[in-house]
């Protein structure tokens, strides 16, 4: 089955550990992962990885995408350099295409007003409160939250973040998704047999 690509936003200081589970297993499930940067100039992650974006943000169209993933980055809290990515998230959501934001990207979405009327989470509630957003009553103390096409998670929950992405896109059925989460989050060796069986039959 042909699937539209998943777009992974990349920018200087992006947190490379936060999206690895999601992108690796989306790729294994047949999704093309396309990196989108502020331009097509290389960017450097917080871990020092130099990445050449496949496309510029301005060239990303919701109609040509399955999902936009926004990782955290020091730049989210250092000014307005990444505001265009939050605006692109609004464009995606308005078009009915999902968005997944983790760590500092949740603050960017809060500043854009995208969390005012959706349940959401982040690192801690007061981190988002510092943005002055109006959605504080919608904050949920959970590992990851999905509400009307928007996934949010804190920086310590890359596995739960991936789980919600897989659930939203229908990558795995419920039993396999539960096993995937138990294996990578809880180191539950029994879950491996479920995944191995699903892979063999898939």
């Amino acid at each position: 089955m042909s699937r539209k690509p998943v777009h992974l936003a990349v920018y200087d200081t992006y947190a490379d550990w936060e999206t690895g589970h999601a992108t690796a297993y989306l790729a294994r499930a047949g999704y093309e992962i396309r990196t989108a940067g502020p331009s097509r100039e290389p960017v450097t992650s917080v871990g020092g990885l130099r990445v050449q974006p496949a496309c510029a943000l301005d060239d990303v169209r919701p109609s040509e995408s399955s999902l936009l993933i926004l990782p955290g980055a020091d730049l989210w809290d250092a000014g307005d350099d990444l505001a265009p990515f939050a605006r692109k998230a609004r464009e995606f959501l308005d078009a009915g295409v999902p968005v997944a934001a983790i760590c500092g990207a949740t603050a960017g979405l809060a500043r854009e007003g995208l969390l005012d009327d959706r349940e959401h989470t982040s690192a801690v509630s007061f981190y988002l409160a510092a943005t002055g957003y109006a959605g504080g009553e919608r904050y949920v103390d959970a590992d990851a939250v999905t509400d009307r096409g928007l996934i949010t998670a804190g920086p310590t929950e890359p596995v739960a973040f991936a789980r919600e992405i897989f659930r939203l896109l229908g990558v795995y059925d419920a039993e396999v998704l539960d096993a995937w989460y138990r294996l990578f989050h809880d180191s539950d060796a029994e879950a491996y047999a479920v995944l191995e069986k699903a892979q063999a039959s898939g």
Side-chain angles (χ1 to χ4, degrees), residues 42-55:
V43 299
T44 304
S45 77
V46 72
L49 299 181
R50 191 168 171 82
V51 176
Q52 173 78 57
C55 59

Side-chain angles (χ1 to χ4, degrees), residues 67 89-100 109 113-120 135 138 145-152 164 168:
L67 171 74
R90 177 180 292 281
E91 183 182 333
F92 265 61
L93 293 170
D94 286 348
V97 182
V99 173
L109 299 192
L114 294 174
L115 305 186
D116 290 350
D117 61 353
R118 284 180 171 87
E119 291 191 348
H120 58 276
R138 297 277 191 149
V145 172
T146 303
D147 187 0
R148 290 182 294 133
L150 178 61
I151 296 166
T152 50
E164 293 304 297
L168 188 63

Side-chain angles (χ1 to χ4, degrees), residues 10-62:
V10 292
Y11 20 72
D12 285 332
T13 75
Y14 83 90
D16 31 28
W17 68 89
E18 292 176 343
T19 60
H21 288 86
T23 55
Y25 281 85
L26 286 171
R28 285 189 168 188
Y31 286 91
E32 176 192 358
I33 308 300
R34 289 184 59 80
T35 50
S39 69
R40 294 203 62 194
E41 291 299 310
V43 299
T44 304
S45 77
V46 72
L49 299 181
R50 191 168 171 82
V51 176
Q52 173 78 57
C55 59
L57 181 67
D58 286 346
D59 296 328
V60 176
R61 304 284 180 265

